[in-house]
Amino acid sequence: MLRSVEKEISKGEVIARRCSSFFYISDKITIGEAAELFLDNSHIDVLGVTDEDRLVKGIVLRNDLFSLIGQKFGRELYLNRNISEVLKEAPLIYYRRNTFSVIEEISSELNSPVNRYYVLVDDKNRFCGITSSRDLVFFLSDMMRREIKMTQSIHSSLVVKAIREESSSFQIFGAVMPAGDIGGDFQYCRCINNERWFFSLCDVSGKGLNAGMIAGAVSGMYAVYDFSKGLSDILKRINSHIYDLFGGEIFLTGIFFEVDELDFKIRLFDMGHSFLYILRDGRLYAPSTSKENMPLGVLPEIEPEEVLIKIKSGDMIIAFSDGLIEQTNISGEPFGQQRVLSFVSRYRNTPPEKIWKLIHSDFESWRMGNSQSDDVSMLIMKIK
């Protein structure tokens, strides 16, 4: 009496691939016979009901059936009656429809705590299987898990955790400590030619997939960009890319600079980041511009303004993200900008990587087991 349709191997993301049951019964059997089938097949929660031509008449649910016959005198009243008396209607969906179009159509039902069933049919309305809102939620959850894993892999391959570079003119060290698996802080270093270098330290607003996606995309743009076109051009491209994707809801702050070792100059763009300092002759100062550059992705178009800095031997350039200075300890006190800058001043004759290790050690001691609340990044350059 228990029948099943053969599972069809379908190409593409069609709803037939989301079936959790292919079992059905005839509309001629009794309620008692259906109950026996459920008892013999504990893994089945729902059965399709069809006529002899496999045309769908409805569905019958295990729980509903046993609730009915479990009532007082239920067995006597219902066991010999036809199954049609307990049929439930269920929406019919063409089995080759795209899964995502179905999900969009029934999206409000996916939020319901009640598991809803849908009968899949062919072009002649013949039974092809049953799926449910729970099946589709599991599908979306699994898809999200796989996408997160893929994003983590791409993010890890594109976003470097540490930069160590040294030339005849400078030493530089950069570090990134994500707060989670996918972070929004990232850095980049590239030797443009024998005398020119490009560096950046960026912080994407928010966390998770969107932040990680932007971090990976921007790192990829750096890798293929022709830097002879200048930094302003790539900043405009990054701005357009982020704005087109998120319409100003997600943005990127960053420090972008090019070091020219021939004329000892730095061309600097501070795109709404602000945490950049130069240590010269024992004094710290923040470079200023005539106008404040907006973060990338806030406006559809930008005209970034650069700062030209003449560097000299002994100078240090320090940039860091807000995650470093805003981290609190168990008493709720922030690590603080002054604490970071004091370390830099005190150990200015120490190599950049050593300075970072000292700051990092103090940072970990400071938070005293309090969870890291945001991504942390820092870039330290020392001019020889």
Side-chain angles (χ1 to χ4, degrees):
M1 288 186 292
L2 182 63
R3 306 170 183 177
S4 69
V5 291
E6 186 175 344
K7 183 177 181 180
E8 182 175 320
I9 300 175
S10 303
K11 294 182 179 180
E13 189 44 68
V14 294
I15 195 65
R17 297 181 63 181
R18 304 300 131 215
C19 273
S20 56
S21 176
F22 297 91
F23 297 103
Y24 68 101
I25 54 178
S26 167
D27 62 351
K28 300 295 190 294
I29 72 170
T30 65
I31 292 174
E33 289 170 327
E36 287 184 16
L37 291 174
F38 277 122
L39 287 172
D40 293 339
N41 298 275
S42 59
H43 61 289
I44 298 177
D45 292 322
V46 58
L47 289 168
V49 180
T50 76
D51 64 14
E52 290 306 310
D53 295 321
R54 223 174 79 207
L55 298 178
V56 176
K57 297 298 182 180
I59 60 173
V60 59
L61 306 180
R62 168 191 288 272
N63 289 343
D64 288 356
L65 190 67
F66 285 116
S67 293
L68 182 68
I69 61 180
Q71 296 175 7
K72 189 175 182 179
F73 303 118
R75 298 174 65 85
E76 292 80 359
L77 289 172
Y78 296 109
L79 284 183
N80 293 318
R81 293 188 181 182
N82 185 268
I83 193 66
S84 60
E85 295 191 26
V86 292
L87 288 186
K88 298 279 188 181
E89 289 188 358
L92 304 184
I93 298 174
Y94 180 56
Y95 77 126
R96 289 191 178 278
R97 273 192 65 184
N98 179 271
T99 301
F100 296 104
S101 72
V102 173
I103 288 173
E104 184 176 1
E105 185 177 298
I106 64 170
S107 58
S108 61
E109 298 177 14
L110 299 184
N111 296 321
S112 171
V114 178
N115 189 28
R116 302 180 186 277
Y117 291 96
Y118 309 92
V119 179
L120 306 188
V121 295
D122 62 14
D123 53 0
K124 296 181 180 178
N125 265 14
R126 292 178 300 192
F127 178 85
C128 293
I130 298 173
T131 190
S132 70
S133 56
R134 182 171 57 191
D135 295 327
L136 297 177
V137 168
F138 285 163
F139 163 68
L140 291 174
S141 176
D142 183 62
M143 184 180 70
M144 179 65 73
R145 179 188 58 78
R146 286 185 278 111
E147 287 185 353
I148 289 173
K149 188 175 181 179
M150 182 182 298
T151 302
Q152 288 172 343
S153 176
I154 295 171
H155 185 269
S156 296
S157 66
L158 291 175
V159 178
V160 295
K161 297 290 179 63
I163 289 175
R164 294 178 183 86
E165 291 291 347
E166 183 169 0
S167 75
S168 59
S169 304
F170 66 82
Q171 281 182 307
I172 190 166
F173 179 80
V176 174
M177 297 193 310
D181 292 330
I182 303 176
D185 280 21
F186 63 101
Q187 56 190 350
Y188 190 81
C189 163
R190 179 173 165 184
C191 181
I192 301 171
N193 55 40
N194 291 333
E195 297 86 23
R196 292 170 60 218
W197 292 76
F198 168 72
F199 301 96
S200 74
L201 183 147
C202 300
D203 181 0
V204 183
S205 63
K207 298 184 181 72
L209 285 177
N210 287 336
M213 181 174 68
I214 291 175
V218 173
S219 296
M221 291 171 73
Y222 287 155
V224 298
Y225 182 65
D226 178 3
F227 279 89
S228 66
K229 296 179 180 179
L231 296 190
S232 180
D233 178 70
I234 192 169
L235 294 180
K236 291 178 181 180
R237 292 176 186 229
I238 295 170
N239 180 78
S240 295
H241 177 72
I242 298 174
Y243 187 85
D244 289 346
L245 281 175
F246 300 104
E249 294 184 5
I250 294 179
F251 55 86
L252 178 154
T253 67
I255 302 296
F256 307 83
F257 62 98
E258 183 182 295
V259 179
D260 190 323
E261 295 188 89
L262 281 182
D263 60 10
F264 252 47
K265 289 180 180 178
I266 289 180
R267 297 183 181 277
L268 168 72
F269 291 85
D270 181 349
M271 305 306 296
H273 193 81
S274 302
F275 302 114
L276 174 82
Y277 293 89
I278 294 176
L279 178 65
R280 174 174 292 174
D281 300 328
R283 295 178 62 247
L284 280 160
Y285 73 94
S288 60
T289 59
S290 59
K291 72 170 186 178
E292 183 179 358
N293 289 323
M294 295 293 289
L296 301 178
V298 173
L299 301 174
E301 295 181 0
I302 58 169
E303 287 296 334
E305 180 176 316
E306 75 170 29
V307 177
L308 187 62
I309 302 171
K310 183 72 175 177
I311 53 177
K312 67 176 188 176
S313 178
D315 283 355
M316 291 183 70
I317 295 93
I318 308 102
F320 47 85
S321 65
D322 56 1
L324 176 62
I325 61 175
E326 293 176 0
Q327 173 66 47
T328 58
N329 58 17
I330 56 176
S331 300
E333 301 169 304
F335 191 64
Q337 182 169 271
Q338 190 55 47
R339 195 180 188 96
V340 175
L341 297 178
S342 294
F343 264 95
V344 174
S345 295
R346 190 184 318 157
Y347 298 103
R348 58 184 177 273
N349 296 321
T350 304
E353 185 169 359
K354 179 65 174 177
I355 295 174
W356 162 250
K357 287 181 178 179
L358 290 167
I359 293 172
H360 176 243
S361 177
D362 191 53
F363 176 84
E364 293 297 331
S365 298
W366 170 265
R367 64 189 184 98
M368 294 183 290
N370 200 21
S371 61
Q372 185 179 325
S373 58
D374 196 2
D375 301 329
V376 169
S377 55
M378 188 168 191
L379 200 63
I380 305 170
M381 172 180 276
K382 187 172 185 178
I383 308 302
K384 294 181 179 179

